[in-house]
Amino acid sequence: MNFKYPVWHRLHKQTNKTVLISAADKSGLPAGSLVHIGKKHETACRISITQYNEDTLKQCEIKSISELQQLQDNKSIIWVNIDGLSDTSIVEHIGAELNIHPLVLEDILSTHQRPKLEEYEDYIYLVVKSISAQYNGNLDLRYEQISILLLANYVITFKEKADEIFKPVYYRMQNRKDRLRQSGSDYLAYVLLDTIVDEYFVVEDCLDDIIDPLEDSLLSNPTKEMLHTIQLLRRNLIAMKRSISPLRELLTTIQHANTALLHEKTLRYYGDVHDHVLRVTDSLDSYRERIASIQDIYLSSISNKLNETMKILTIFASIFIPLTFIAGIYGMNFEHMPELKWRWAYPALWIIFIAIGIGLLIYFRKKKWL
Amino acid sequence: MNFKYPVWHRLHKQTNKTVLISAADKSGLPAGSLVHIGKKHETACRISITQYNEDTLKQCEIKSISELQQLQDNKSIIWVNIDGLSDTSIVEHIGAELNIHPLVLEDILSTHQRPKLEEYEDYIYLVVKSISAQYNGNLDLRYEQISILLLANYVITFKEKADEIFKPVYYRMQNRKDRLRQSGSDYLAYVLLDTIVDEYFVVEDCLDDIIDPLEDSLLSNPTKEMLHTIQLLRRNLIAMKRSISPLRELLTTIQHANTALLHEKTLRYYGDVHDHVLRVTDSLDSYRERIASIQDIYLSSISNKLNETMKILTIFASIFIPLTFIAGIYGMNFEHMPELKWRWAYPALWIIFIAIGIGLLIYFRKKKWL
Amino acid sequence: MNFKYPVWHRLHKQTNKTVLISAADKSGLPAGSLVHIGKKHETACRISITQYNEDTLKQCEIKSISELQQLQDNKSIIWVNIDGLSDTSIVEHIGAELNIHPLVLEDILSTHQRPKLEEYEDYIYLVVKSISAQYNGNLDLRYEQISILLLANYVITFKEKADEIFKPVYYRMQNRKDRLRQSGSDYLAYVLLDTIVDEYFVVEDCLDDIIDPLEDSLLSNPTKEMLHTIQLLRRNLIAMKRSISPLRELLTTIQHANTALLHEKTLRYYGDVHDHVLRVTDSLDSYRERIASIQDIYLSSISNKLNETMKILTIFASIFIPLTFIAGIYGMNFEHMPELKWRWAYPALWIIFIAIGIGLLIYFRKKKWL
Amino acid sequence: MNFKYPVWHRLHKQTNKTVLISAADKSGLPAGSLVHIGKKHETACRISITQYNEDTLKQCEIKSISELQQLQDNKSIIWVNIDGLSDTSIVEHIGAELNIHPLVLEDILSTHQRPKLEEYEDYIYLVVKSISAQYNGNLDLRYEQISILLLANYVITFKEKADEIFKPVYYRMQNRKDRLRQSGSDYLAYVLLDTIVDEYFVVEDCLDDIIDPLEDSLLSNPTKEMLHTIQLLRRNLIAMKRSISPLRELLTTIQHANTALLHEKTLRYYGDVHDHVLRVTDSLDSYRERIASIQDIYLSSISNKLNETMKILTIFASIFIPLTFIAGIYGMNFEHMPELKWRWAYPALWIIFIAIGIGLLIYFRKKKWL
Amino acid sequence: MNFKYPVWHRLHKQTNKTVLISAADKSGLPAGSLVHIGKKHETACRISITQYNEDTLKQCEIKSISELQQLQDNKSIIWVNIDGLSDTSIVEHIGAELNIHPLVLEDILSTHQRPKLEEYEDYIYLVVKSISAQYNGNLDLRYEQISILLLANYVITFKEKADEIFKPVYYRMQNRKDRLRQSGSDYLAYVLLDTIVDEYFVVEDCLDDIIDPLEDSLLSNPTKEMLHTIQLLRRNLIAMKRSISPLRELLTTIQHANTALLHEKTLRYYGDVHDHVLRVTDSLDSYRERIASIQDIYLSSISNKLNETMKILTIFASIFIPLTFIAGIYGMNFEHMPELKWRWAYPALWIIFIAIGIGLLIYFRKKKWL
């Protein structure tokens, strides 16, 4: 029998040309085949280990996952943070080491995931999107998919890029009296989630910095650039909502999860993150409404401007057109035009011109145009 | 190992510069660290104590929470009202004294909370937003976060500002026969909630005072300022909805709460507050629809105005343009233009001018333009 | 200690000035204080008693609630109808007589209630809004809050005004064989509800009488008044929906109520009212959509009109402007203009004028403007 | 005591004048009074009987319901179809014969019902709306209320008009091997429902025949008539949705009904109808979206047209207005105008005219207007 | 008795004329009559058999379903794929062979199904829509209904067309170590579903290829063709949503199905498909919002253009109209016009002309028009 494999071939051809394998191109691959899907960041993969309990705190980088086994003991929590997903063998190793379901490994590598939570027998798998904003004239939002594997003594985080989003967590860990040092892996996972969600508020502050002045200058002086900004904000709000709103559901699930991995005392803290997420999504909704209203006002302003333009044109035309007609009449070359010979015709005509002009101006003022 | 703490540093730099710590800046702080987040009001913290039962009523101010312990007895309800949140040590003290969860203390101090209710073993924590309105030309809405801690014998309220929103409650307390004096702390919490919700109706009256005349004068005379008012109302409605609508859920939860802190007899009263909140949110929805419709009508009016302007311009131009052309013809200097020498040419032309003018006017009238 | 009572004082000042106490002004009053809130109707309170069973029917008016006790027997149903709420003492008396919860009494007197149902141990409290319409050029909707107290042998109705909405019920009662005479108080309450809901259909007929011709004349001849009518209809639809839609929920609750006051056989009838309410709300929704669509069409029509105006202006201007220019050229006074001396220049120019005019007309026809 | 019965009287006056008794006019009548509400169709009532089992099939018409009793046996299913509702005594007879609840009888006669299902002890009552379409230039939708009473051995259908909607059912019955002949009354009821729902697809085909060409010709040539068609389609879609969407709920209820009247094997078939109804409502939703989008495009097209008109006007005016001004200058009669005497002034002016014209054309082309 | 069968006849007449039997035309046919409803594709039906277990893999084509019986054994999974539905007898045979419910057979042949899942005692019936996209200037989406019958040892797929959508599945099967070879029929059904859903991502990439450049070029240069593209995209999004969104529900049902046909281990995989579908529908929603926003921006751009056109026209007209009037005055032929004889009148007039022109330009610049 003779098979053709068009989709498969297309995939290979493309990978030669560009480093980007879109989600679509993976169609046709068996589920569970570990290919990194998403923008490839140049970062070499970096594996940082943080091992801590109430008394000790060790931090180091390792080259290979196999070193992990030596660290293992029952008295401390180990947080493995992996920056960069280009080396799929790391994920594969971790999967083998900790007995992770192949679908989870696949999802870790594919950075187009929707935020979600999956409970397995001895671990919980979380995907969230961190968003960081920079505003310097243009709004620049950067998305990063962060996968969190929560096991009894491990927390493993997979990040696309080597950014500093988890720095505050490292900082807190220095403090021996912090609750973090005294609690289990579930509390660490909470702290990580909370850190990610807190970043959303920074993004919202950024949005406020753009929307507030936009709203204020809108009525006085609408410019074409505003439309561009409105458009941009809208797109970003749609994208943010897609990344954030599944978290609500996720955090509801986590609070009602029936698993030994999460201690009841920690659930309150997840509830707190849930409140924060609700606050963020509420804000997003109201931003959206404000943007919609801003666009309406923008359109109104343009209509208003058009109206004013028309008014001026109409006033000019309406006043001068009849006057010009009259002037045209006495420019005619008929032999028999008695007015042309009258002594006071010309000054009289000036009076008529002025009277017509003033009359029309009064009429327009009555119409509330002036 | 070498850590950088950018978020943390940024926070400290900012606090030196301004008194405002936005929610975003707290990102990176461990949950449970007590920092007042929100606009700092200059008010010094004031702690007022009201201790009452059916027979006695004592009111005083104390300087420090430690004085509270002396007041304690089992026969009376103690209401502690704290105006101003700038002194975080007070909240800390209360937390220690009454064994309050650190997350609650943190929420009390962060004034960007979404209204919510949290049940703990021996207390209930409520956050609501009071809204007070002033309308003098401009609509001025002031929001205040009020936290209510309901314990078996205590009600503790935390307010951002030292305003008089709870005055009616103090007044009712004077009356020995009032149900308030005869009931427990749950009834006091209800009275406080009810007082806050009743203020919403005052705000709605304010909105009516703005929207009704706006709607009436809209069709007759749309002005540019209206657009500004519409915009303003919309923003305020969005903000109000965010503050009020979570109360619905909150009050449903309270009515079905399974806790010894709330007596069954009091639940009816919470149901009454629930009805009021439903009424307010219904009104907000209908205000919103009216505002949307007002804006539509405003835009229509502008279109109508443009149309009228165009009609006048068209009438003027259409009548005089052909006439001017005819006058132009007989202004030409050709040697051989027989009409110029005709005896009655000039008066005949006048008749033609008038005929064309009247003809066009009749045509426009048939088109329903005049 | 020194208290100020601003809200309270404001209330008293206002009551001297006007008879209207808005809901907002009651903020600050203890729940359960019986003050009539709403428009005060001049009607003196009238208490009509109808006492009936299968065999007898007595109807009378009484002056004071105390007379009610004499009528009581176990064999007949007593319907007490109170027209006008200005005399709060009547409500207070009934409350005392029949042991009604103070919150219910308060709600009866406050005519800004949302339709709702409250079950108590030995009675059910219902609030509904009756709507009656009159259309004579302007649509005039009148709302009335009707409170129904359903007890084992009593039905007590409280109406704001002394209108004739319950007349059909009195009529039915005359008929000894009517099911009403043979059933209990729950069936009477059903009949009253049904009578109120049937009035909604009359209102809908009224709306049809306005919307249908509006829709028909819209395309042919849009006028500015239509905008006003659209606006009016919209407001009324919003208000009607607020009054009617809570009835759906209310009637669902009643059908699943677990109370001895409602016999299972009567529930079918309440289900029938439920169907009617669903029908009304369905209609309201479709009216709303039609109104929205009518407004869209109206705006389109205005755009169409503007377009037609512009077309005529453009045609006039475009034809005559070049012709006038040419005429202007030969009106110039240059000494050396050879054309001016040509013998057939003038007639030739006329041919050019006509040619240009016809050419432009053909061009515009090709553009589909004529 | 003195009663007035305004609603009642109004009803009687109206019935003399017109044959239409609107739902509103019935307000005030006791529930259960059998009056035909709806458009009265001239058809005399026709009662067709179909009695069948696997072996026999008898079809006849009867004059009076009393003949029905003679047909009764336990071995066959009897389908009674009543065309026309003007003779209310037939419905009354059936009600008495089969012990039907008076509310059901009332609903059968009132043809403004919302589709619904009511379970009674020994019968099920169904109301649905059949829709039939005709498209010949104008879309003509005809609605008919069909009531189905399903008993153990009977199916009774009540139709407003004597149309042929059930013909295919009669046809199927001829076939002795059809499942219909071998099944009970529940299967017959399913077949009737299915026949009604299948008609909806014919209506949808009709809508496609209108919307598809509308959409295609929209961009090329928007005409005013389109607006009318859009309006018409919208109204019809709103009306259709009201008639069809309650069927979803109805069919869900039927599938979970706990009654001996429906055999478990038949439920699958009702599930099939349910799927069809879902498909129809999905289509209606997407038609609606398409209509909305068509209207948007229509408005855009009008804007586009206006823009093009304005462009042409602007080009004409902008080119000729300055030229005419220049011609006007040299038409002035000043004694001292040196240019007038220059030898080449006139040809030079022509060059200037042409240069200005071309310059402006180039400018407009750069602006992308030509 | 005399029957007419209009619907039936119409059906037969049509089938002679065209090969398309619309869903509407089937109205009137008994449920369960096997007629292929939908576009008839010319493909002859092709039946491909794939029989596999961990050790063996056999692939062949058969001519008739009766050959199927010979292949049957208990140790391997048989996948029967049927391309083309024109030969209804094949479906009929399979139905008879495997005891499939007639409604299922009917649904397989009618290609207007809504995606759905039906559980029967020994099989599960799934209908899904595959969508494949091609974009070469125009977007070309092709829909295909794929029915999947899942039995204990069989998977039978029915496809409208003989396309290559399942090629990747055939490819995976070659690999002896693939999970597919080691699992049951439920896993095969999952792989098929997953392959179909993965195609949706290809379609989304296509949409991105259209929307992204559209969005970018919108503000700079809106053209009339864009409107066409927007319209097209909208229609496609509506159609895609109809085909895809029922899958969410379907996959939720499958995950909670209580059937021996689906092994618990496979359910995780169905959950993975569910995630993918959620991702697709999320994307569709955000595409839709973007399209709506694009259309808004397009309309704004047109308004902006109109405004600019008007500004230019107004500037030209407003400057030259008064100048032309002045020129007209001195073109009049009055005998007594002293200015005409002044020595410097003409140059002075030029100065006035220039002054007026500059004055108006300054005015317009102050109005922010230039």
Side-chain angles (χ1 to χ4, degrees), chain E residues 161-255:
Chain E
K161 290 175 262 175
D163 51 24
E164 308 205 317
I165 186 159
F166 286 150
K167 278 283 140 102
V169 183
Y170 286 118
Y171 179 77
R172 271 185 72 179
M173 259 182 197
Q174 313 288 349
N175 182 358
R176 178 175 298 207
K177 297 208 175 136
D178 196 293
R179 206 189 151 92
L180 177 55
R181 285 284 287 279
Q182 295 159 5
S183 310
S185 60
D186 55 343
Y187 193 85
L188 174 57
Y190 148 70
V191 169
L192 294 169
L193 257 184
D194 193 46
T195 308
I196 292 163
V197 170
D198 277 351
E199 270 297 301
Y200 298 156
F201 290 108
V202 182
V203 178
E204 297 213 329
D205 281 5
C206 245
L207 290 173
D208 272 328
D209 287 353
I210 304 171
I211 295 179
D212 285 346
L214 190 70
E215 219 164 22
D216 292 339
S217 67
L218 191 64
L219 282 169
S220 57
N221 184 23
T223 67
K224 224 177 160 178
E225 285 70 38
M226 283 182 184
L227 205 56
H228 189 73
T229 312
I230 289 169
Q231 172 86 325
L232 189 80
L233 285 169
R234 249 199 194 163
R235 262 161 100 165
N236 277 315
L237 286 174
I238 293 172
M240 281 180 73
K241 204 174 178 192
R242 275 183 72 187
S243 297
I244 298 175
S245 62
L247 278 179
R248 286 182 296 192
E249 196 189 330
L250 188 158
L251 283 156
T252 309
T253 315
I254 235 177
Q255 286 178 76

Side-chain angles (χ1 to χ4, degrees), chain E residues 52 77 124 150-155 180 183-193 254 259-267 269-270:
Chain E
Y52 68 91
I77 306 296
I124 288 174
L150 167 62
L151 294 94
N153 288 313
Y154 281 100
V155 170
L180 177 55
S183 310
S185 60
D186 55 343
Y187 193 85
L188 174 57
Y190 148 70
V191 169
L192 294 169
L193 257 184
I254 235 177
T259 166
L261 286 166
L262 299 166
H263 303 100
E264 224 201 298
K265 275 180 118 180
T266 321
L267 292 187
Y269 290 90
Y270 282 101

Side-chain angles (χ1 to χ4, degrees), chain B residues 170 172 174 190 205 215 219 268 275 279 282-283 289 293 296 300 307 310 321 333 335 339 367, chain C residues 22 24 30-31 112 114 116 119-120 231 234-235 288 295 299 302 308 310 330-332 340 346:
Chain B
Y170 286 116
R172 272 186 70 179
Q174 313 288 348
Y190 147 70
D205 281 4
E215 220 164 22
L219 283 170
R268 280 266 177 228
D275 284 346
R279 203 143 45 95
D282 273 16
S283 297
E289 285 196 55
S293 132
D296 282 357
S300 293
N307 246 336
M310 284 312 302
I321 281 178
N333 300 316
E335 285 186 359
E339 299 99 315
K367 286 261 172 197
Chain C
S22 82
H112 295 295
R114 208 172 169 266
K116 67 174 173 181
E119 280 179 67
Y120 288 82
Q231 172 86 325
R234 247 198 195 163
R235 263 161 100 166
R288 193 177 222 153
Q295 178 159 334
L299 287 173
I302 287 181
E308 207 173 329
M310 284 312 302
Y330 295 105
M332 294 192 295
L340 294 180
Y346 178 60

Side-chain angles (χ1 to χ4, degrees), chain A residues 3 22 24 30-31 112 114 116 119-120 234-235 242 288 295 299 302 308 310 330 332 340 346, chain E residues 172 174 190 205 215 219 268 275 279 282-283 289 293 296 300 307 310 321 333 335 339 367:
Chain A
F3 287 107
S22 81
H112 296 295
R114 207 172 170 266
K116 68 174 172 181
E119 280 178 67
Y120 288 82
R234 247 199 194 162
R235 263 161 99 166
R242 276 183 72 186
R288 193 175 221 153
Q295 179 159 332
L299 287 174
I302 287 181
E308 206 172 331
M310 284 312 302
Y330 294 105
M332 293 193 295
L340 294 180
Y346 178 59
Chain E
R172 271 185 72 179
Q174 313 288 349
Y190 148 70
D205 281 5
E215 219 164 22
L219 282 169
R268 280 266 176 229
D275 283 345
R279 199 139 53 91
D282 273 17
S283 298
E289 287 195 53
S293 132
D296 282 357
S300 293
N307 246 335
M310 285 311 303
I321 281 178
N333 300 317
E335 287 187 358
E339 299 97 316
K367 287 263 173 197

